[in-house]
Amino acid sequence: MISRAACLIVLTCLAGCSSFPYNSIPGPIGTITAAAGLPSVTRNNRPYILAKHSKIYIGDIIGTDRRSAVGLALVSGQTIDIPPQTQWLVMDMTTNGVDYKSSSSLVQGALQVKGPGDTPHEFIIRTAIAELQTLAEHFWLGYHKQGNSGLIVIAMDAVPVTVRNRNGATTLTAPRQTTTVAPGVAPQSTVNWTQQKLRNTIEYYNERPR
């Protein structure tokens, strides 16, 4: 049986060899599937409250406070969980009719990307500390909760997740492999977490005070 990682490599090659250009998606790039509290989106410098079925567009800044969280389904099929105290900017999302590419910026907080996707989707997510690039359907990244003093990245399947900054790069290649990055320092060597530590970390970031 051909692994999903191998299939993605083939599809990526085919997409890269395609003569079809990538074009920005003109309409919504996703739809809100769940909203708790009062999550918001800033669009054209104006804030709006998000609710289930709200549409998300390129250029939107999604924000959650201590008591809010939101779930988003992308047009490519992947879903994104946005926990409390997060700001995420959608910079661009393109497609060539075969696959998708997106560029975004995590300003604070955390994100969990979950599949399954309908088509391959290359994510590039920039932070103040490092950049993440991957075709993986499942991964998590988040700033340290205390003052954005570092970054944690967790792979959740076997598709490579590369984390880089001007000081170096590390690639995660297996479920529950992690790396941490401090400001001004290269991403650290990978560490394998237990399933319990992974679950505890995600739950910690998802906590909302009552």
Side-chain angles (χ1 to χ4, degrees):
M1 180 179 293
I2 300 175
S3 69
R4 179 180 172 274
C7 289
L8 277 175
I9 291 171
V10 173
L11 285 169
T12 302
C13 179
L14 290 174
C17 296
S18 170
S19 60
F20 296 109
Y22 283 88
N23 294 302
S24 292
I25 295 173
I29 59 99
T31 303
I32 298 300
T33 56
L38 295 173
S40 66
V41 61
T42 300
R43 181 177 299 148
N44 299 323
N45 295 318
R46 298 184 64 179
Y48 303 90
I49 299 299
L50 287 172
K52 191 173 181 180
H53 305 306
S54 295
K55 303 299 182 183
I56 299 299
Y57 298 84
I58 292 170
D60 282 355
I61 303 173
I62 300 174
T64 55
D65 59 21
R66 294 175 65 247
R67 298 179 182 274
S68 62
V70 70
L72 169 67
L74 299 176
V75 293
S76 57
Q78 285 83 2
T79 60
I80 299 180
D81 288 346
I82 303 174
Q85 295 182 281
T86 293
Q87 281 192 329
W88 180 55
L89 165 62
V90 182
M91 299 166 65
D92 198 12
M93 187 167 173
T94 62
T95 183
N96 63 358
V98 178
D99 56 10
Y100 289 82
K101 295 181 179 181
S102 66
S103 176
S104 63
S105 177
L106 183 63
V107 180
Q108 68 179 46
L111 296 174
Q112 183 177 358
V113 175
K114 301 187 294 185
D118 298 327
T119 55
H121 185 144
E122 181 181 28
F123 288 90
I124 297 176
I125 302 176
R126 297 177 174 88
T127 75
I129 300 171
E131 175 185 283
L132 175 154
Q133 184 173 8
T134 187
L135 278 162
E137 288 188 342
H138 301 267
F139 61 91
W140 184 97
L141 74 159
Y143 290 98
H144 291 174
K145 266 198 169 182
Q146 306 304 319
N148 284 9
S149 60
L151 185 73
I152 305 168
V153 180
I154 310 171
M156 301 176 84
D157 61 26
V159 180
V161 177
T162 298
V163 183
R164 65 170 66 90
N165 60 21
R166 66 179 63 185
N167 300 293
T170 294
T171 298
L172 312 176
T173 58
R176 302 195 309 277
Q177 273 193 351
T178 71
T179 184
T180 59
V181 194
V185 178
Q188 298 299 295
S189 299
T190 61
V191 175
N192 294 319
W193 279 10
T194 64
Q195 185 65 41
Q196 186 63 50
K197 184 170 183 178
L198 171 63
R199 185 181 304 112
N200 290 346
T201 298
I202 294 174
E203 288 177 355
Y204 173 63
Y205 278 79
N206 286 343
E207 286 178 355
R208 294 188 296 124
R210 297 182 182 277

